[in-house]
Amino acid sequence: MSEAYLVGKYVGAGKARPPLNTLGGGRWAKTKEQAERAVRDLAGELLAIQAARDSQVGHAFGQDAPWQREFESAFLFEETPDQMRAILQTKADMERPKPMDRLICGDVGYGKTEVAIRAAFKAVMGGRQVGGARADDDPGPTTL
């Protein structure tokens, strides 16, 4: 009840009005069962994708080259402990012979792009191509 103010009326998307069901009724049970089945199916797909990725061999990048250290020393700001941990973990992932799954997230202005630029530089120094897209006004993730 202390967070009841967070509950609001669901208005749906577009002009269609969402159907209302009585809790405990037959339509509610069917809707709930369909949602549970969809969640199980999605979880199964995600597990299958992850299992396939785990069985693949990825490209293992080498240790940081002198140019990498020179490039990184030119950054203006001192890294926060969390940012440094993200940098080190990302580089460690890149040096493993497995496909990398890492998401760097945080508030605007906390160095996510700097982590991504270091990873991109490491990839280019390792002979790989890097592409990224991000709108300047988009506070979302930077994709490499």
Side-chain angles (χ1 to χ4, degrees), residues 7 9 20 23-24 45 70 74 95 101 103 106 127 136:
V7 177
K9 180 180 178 182
L20 298 177
L23 291 178
E45 289 176 34
E70 183 179 336
E95 293 169 5
D101 284 320
L103 173 66
D136 289 340

Side-chain angles (χ1 to χ4, degrees), residues 1-7:
M1 289 304 296
S2 65
E3 296 180 357
Y5 66 92
L6 296 173
V7 177

Side-chain angles (χ1 to χ4, degrees), residues 12-138:
K15 295 182 181 183
R17 299 189 71 157
L20 298 177
N21 297 325
T22 304
L23 291 178
R27 286 192 320 181
W28 168 250
K30 183 177 178 181
T31 301
K32 192 169 92 170
E33 182 181 311
Q34 288 173 338
E36 288 172 353
R37 190 175 325 116
V39 168
R40 276 194 305 275
D41 291 347
L42 179 60
E45 289 176 34
L46 291 174
L47 285 171
I49 290 169
Q50 193 59 43
R53 286 183 59 80
D54 281 346
S55 67
Q56 294 177 349
V57 176
H59 177 77
F61 290 93
Q63 297 288 320
D64 286 355
W67 280 12
Q68 178 87 30
R69 290 186 288 278
E70 183 179 336
F71 173 73
E72 292 180 6
S73 69
F75 280 70
L76 297 176
F77 301 105
E78 186 176 332
E79 297 82 8
T80 66
D82 287 341
Q83 186 181 15
M84 182 53 74
R85 185 171 57 250
I87 291 165
L88 295 174
Q89 289 174 349
T90 300
K91 287 181 180 182
D93 282 355
M94 292 176 76
E95 293 169 5
R96 290 179 52 225
K98 287 284 186 186
M100 185 171 106
D101 284 320
R102 179 164 296 276
L103 173 66
I104 306 295
C105 58
D107 289 336
V108 172
Y110 280 87
K112 298 177 300 293
T113 302
E114 284 84 351
V115 175
I117 289 171
R118 291 166 197 254
F121 192 86
K122 185 174 186 73
V124 169
M125 293 303 297
R128 297 296 176 146
Q129 184 176 354
V130 176
R134 178 182 170 172
D136 289 340
D137 60 347
D138 177 16

